[in-house]
Amino acid sequence: MELKALLKSENRLKKNKEFKITYKKGNSFANRDFVVYYKKNSLGFSRIGFSVSKKVGKAWKRNEIKRRLRETLRKNNSLLSKSCDIIIIVRQTIKDTDYFSMEKSLNHALKGSELID
RNA sequence: UAAGUAAGUCAGAUGAUCGCUGAAGUAAUUCAGAGGAAAGUCCGGACACCAUAGGGCAGGGUGCUGGCUAACGGCCAGUGAAGGUGACUUUAAGGAUAGUGCCACAGAAAAUAUACCGCCGGUUUUUCCGGUAAGGGUGCAACGGUGCGGUAAGAGCGCACCAGUGCUUAGGCGACUAAGCUGCUAGGUAAACCCCACUUGGUGCAAGACCUGAUAGAGAGGCGUAUGGGGCUGCCCGUCCCGCUUCCGGGUAGGUCGCUAGAGGUAGAAGGUAACUUUUAUCCCAGAUAGAUGAUCGUCUGAAACAGAAUCCGGCUUAUAGACUUAGUUAAUUU
RNA sequence: GGAGCUGUAGUGUAGCGGUUAUCACGUCGGCCUGUCACGCCGAAGAUCGCGGGUUCGAUUCCCGUCAGCUCCG
């Protein structure tokens, strides 16, 4: 699958139901900045959802975080072949970190959940 | 030069690589892509549905004058009051003689009554009676203020000036201002109830319309309309529904539309002190749906603030780095 | 996106415009007890979320603002 397709609509978690199922039946891993829920699916590709609480910041701040997360995942396309539903929850500590340390932290979180090598 | 006042503008730019959303195109590709506040949701509209969008009362809102506007609690121009040396700023600013309430403590007395210390007269010299409200004292506030006359002592009792109120004249569309005159003195509070004038139906794009369409009833016609219940903001009137029967077909979830050409932008002309209006030319300028603008590198000038459209407009309020423009004011120095 | 509610000692709450403000739990000190608890007595602890305005005087009335919470798919 092509790299740019990662963020097409079929690769995103959308429905509230899907989120709830992943929360209930999936496994989780957490570090200082992120919580990752993941669960195998039968689609042959992965779907990813983001969850950024209002406690993190105002609207423009949350948008910025989501943009940067998408950029990080775009560079790192190995997630797609896993066929998983993934939810990435952002914690409050992310507020003051810059792009590079965020990327590092996210990779650590994904390694911990054995989604990437 | 310093301090301060008012009005207004911009809101990083540019190049490269990799990406996101929409439109056009068979395709390569091309074009467009967050704000001055997009925010708060404090007002006003458009639009949609609710019942025909109704009547009365209650309730809500606004409150100096004139104008502007689709409308407004907004804006513009003025009036009064308050503040500032000044440029200028602020202003919920109708009515207290329609009525009701309240004015703690203190004080004689807090609104139609009264006299604590006093002053004066008479009698008596402990006091009592009468007159008085000038002085003291209380308080945010004491039935006008200052001065002179007057008096037993006093008092708008009389006079002059001032404050208020009423009337007349002049100016102004008007709020009001100026001058003159007569009578005389009226406590404050309406962001207390209230009165007066104007105004106000409710719900909100999660409005609503259509497509597909499990289970079972949204709709239409007829009959009945006694009681009771429910809906239409609260109550009353009025009105619709709930009952029975016949016909007909269609909740939630999903998708499409609503969804962006508009009280639109830019430039000019005319009218107006201005807000704004009229008109000519020209432009098309986000439309997502878990929700699109990012990352890296280079240069300028320094990894600049507040901060992200969600139906759309007009305002208000709040947040905001840095830079700039224009017009007044005050003070100091020099010529 | 839209609609609403609440802010008062550490916590949960009362409060007619008129004393820098009530009660309970908690805290601190004392009494009681061999000791602790219970009980009794006393004390401290509040910029009434913040900023303006009305008023002689605001926790209370009005305006703005901030924070928290609830409801509507």
Side-chain angles (χ1 to χ4, degrees), chain A residues 3-114:
Chain A
L3 197 138
K4 68 177 182 180
L6 179 75
L7 296 172
K8 291 283 185 188
S9 62
E10 56 186 3
N11 294 99
R12 280 179 278 181
L13 269 183
K14 287 178 176 176
K15 304 289 178 293
N16 200 16
K17 258 186 204 170
E18 297 167 354
F19 270 82
K20 277 180 179 169
I21 289 170
T22 311
Y23 281 134
K24 260 190 177 177
K25 304 195 172 176
N27 304 314
S28 68
F29 179 84
N31 69 356
R32 209 171 67 88
D33 296 322
F34 299 100
V35 181
V36 180
Y37 281 84
Y38 54 99
K39 173 183 162 293
K40 289 264 177 190
N41 66 13
S42 53
L43 295 170
F45 53 86
S46 290
R47 296 188 297 180
I48 299 173
F50 301 107
S51 175
V52 187
S53 160
K54 264 190 181 175
K55 287 175 183 172
V56 174
K58 302 200 174 187
W60 68 273
K61 181 74 184 171
R62 302 201 299 270
N63 259 343
E64 190 179 49
I65 289 166
K66 282 190 273 184
R67 263 185 237 127
R68 286 176 171 175
L69 284 174
R70 271 195 291 274
E71 174 67 18
T72 312
L73 295 176
R74 189 177 64 78
K75 288 180 173 175
N76 206 333
N77 60 343
S78 62
L79 271 179
L80 279 175
S81 51
K82 296 286 183 183
S83 184
C84 279
D85 288 344
I86 302 164
I87 300 175
I88 297 170
I89 298 170
V90 178
R91 299 181 131 176
Q92 287 187 56
T93 49
I94 205 77
K95 268 190 264 186
D96 303 321
T97 49
D98 60 7
Y99 176 78
F100 289 109
S101 31
M102 199 190 79
E103 191 176 17
K104 235 184 242 176
S105 179
L106 180 63
N107 284 334
H108 170 255
L110 292 174
K111 269 178 200 168
S113 47
E114 297 173 353

